Amino acid sequence: MKTMAGKTCSRFTNHTPLPQGPHVVGATDIMIGRTKDGTLMRLYYPSKLTDLMSHTEKWTPWFLGEEYTRGLASFIAPSIPSLFSMLFNWQMRGVATPAVWGAPVTDRKFPVIVFSHGLSAHRSIYSTVCTELASHGFFVAAVEHRDRSACASFTLNETGEKEYMLFKTTPLDMKEYELRNQQIKIRVEESIRALNVLEMLNEGKVKNELSSDFDLQQLHGHLDLTYPIMTGHSFGGVTAISTLAKDKRFKVGVALDPWMFPIKDEVDNIGPNVTQPLMCISTEAFQSIANLQAMGKLNKTTTEFITIKGTVHQNQCDTPFLVGHIGRVFVGASSPLDPQTAMDINNRLMLNFIAKHIGDQGTTINTYVPYLEIQQDNMVYGLHGKGKAMLGWDEGYTSV
């Protein structure tokens, strides 16, 4: 069975898995507004190009800069930040995302997806999921949150220089829940603004504040906003859930391993308000009893739950493909199930659920049902989990 793995190219030492859809994926960064009240996103999209492998020199660099590494180190390796940063920078500078930077946009019209990242993540780290979706005919806006839950992000000052904001650890005088609950409210507004930006891009009414050769007018009239889709992972998963409850322009949702802690005192109100079709795709090692109980308060008439067996939390992002076996053990990304198989199942579950609820819409995403049938032994339907990652929920444990 074909997977999404691929070979390296001359410019880069490594790359995330190749997308398997029929469209060659393009990518560009877009900033609308220079302050944190604006929007920063990486847009993945179907391009006019026909051969991904003939454009490897123009693939998208995965690495975003040393500022992002410093923020990540404060979360993952606070006791050895300098050593972690040195090793991470060395390992990641040569990594590519197999999406052609600034490729010309397709002439066709396709649906839109907003993707919200997890705690200490950024707009690049879910490239495997986002490029796969885009390769099947979606414009995917990977938002970079500026609530300081990302490992880093930036705004622009009056002279156009970048001003960075790094990951915020919990202050000693603040409880974990208080901080994360404040952040999720910002995240929801940023996700809603991202959809606003997509609408404006489709109308040809916005200016990119970032220096770029990519002409935003290419997007004019090519975004199908009939069925916007809201997705995300971990903190982004619960951001997706909360956004669906607030903004009914989003018609379908997919929450990957949603970390329910940031809304634990509000889930009784938020859960029933998610009336759109929602699929929660969980990893087995992450889900605790408390988290599953909170997920159980989601609208049962519109929500489907599925767990991929033998998986860990990091199986739904790029991490397992960026580091070797020792690195996966160090960052908690080592899983009993092969990372490529885990990612294949995850992405194909997403694609088929979306297809089920929005129809064809010009996409080509109904081809993976036989693959999922073969993988039935690796899936559990309904709420399920072994709870290793969320012990200490009541104390605000944040291994997400």
Side-chain angles (χ1 to χ4, degrees), residues 30-74:
I30 299 173
M31 178 185 281
I32 307 301
R34 294 189 169 196
T35 71
K36 65 180 181 180
D37 294 324
T39 297
L40 175 60
M41 64 170 69
R42 176 157 291 179
L43 184 68
Y44 301 91
Y45 55 89
S47 76
K48 289 182 180 178
L49 302 179
T50 58
D51 183 8
L52 176 65
M53 300 308 295
S54 66
H55 297 275
T56 55
E57 296 296 326
K58 295 183 179 179
W59 283 5
T60 301
W62 186 93
F63 184 67
L64 296 179
E66 294 182 1
E67 294 82 5
Y68 286 81
T69 305
R70 286 203 298 272
L72 185 62
S74 70

Side-chain angles (χ1 to χ4, degrees), residues 185-302:
K185 289 175 170 54
I186 298 171
R187 285 168 146 261
V188 169
E189 292 306 315
E190 289 176 326
S191 300
I192 291 171
R193 282 204 301 271
L195 182 55
N196 294 341
V197 167
L198 292 173
E199 291 178 343
M200 290 186 289
L201 287 168
N202 195 52
E203 296 170 357
K205 293 182 178 180
V206 290
K207 170 191 173 185
N208 192 355
E209 296 290 348
L210 300 176
S211 177
S212 174
D213 293 330
F214 183 85
D215 183 4
L216 294 184
Q217 290 301 314
Q218 295 181 80
L219 301 168
H220 186 190
H222 291 300
L223 281 63
D224 183 349
L225 293 151
T226 310
Y227 300 99
I229 299 148
M230 184 66 211
T231 63
H233 174 248
S234 192
F235 204 169
V238 74
T239 300
I241 290 169
S242 300
T243 302
L244 289 166
K246 187 168 183 177
D247 192 337
K248 298 304 177 182
R249 289 179 300 169
F250 288 103
K251 303 304 181 186
V252 181
V254 180
L256 307 178
D257 244 5
W259 179 46
M260 304 297 287
F261 176 77
I263 62 167
K264 68 183 182 71
D265 293 344
E266 302 168 336
V267 68
D268 286 331
N269 294 323
I270 292 174
N273 284 326
V274 181
T275 54
Q276 306 95 317
L278 169 66
M279 172 173 272
C280 295
I281 306 173
S282 297
T283 62
E284 192 170 39
F286 181 72
Q287 295 297 340
S288 69
I289 293 175
N291 207 65
L292 292 170
Q293 288 175 339
M295 289 169 64
K297 295 180 181 180
L298 295 170
N299 192 324
K300 293 180 176 58
T301 62
T302 56

Side-chain angles (χ1 to χ4, degrees), residues 98-145:
V100 181
W101 188 254
V105 176
T106 177
D107 289 327
R108 297 174 60 186
K109 194 170 186 176
F110 287 113
V112 301
I113 298 175
V114 174
F115 191 98
S116 171
H117 64 71
L119 192 66
S120 81
H122 51 65
R123 66 187 185 278
S124 179
I125 201 169
Y126 294 94
S127 67
T128 307
V129 173
C130 293
T131 56
E132 183 66 14
L133 296 172
S135 76
H136 285 274
F138 292 94
F139 289 91
V140 184
V143 178
E144 187 163 280
H145 292 292

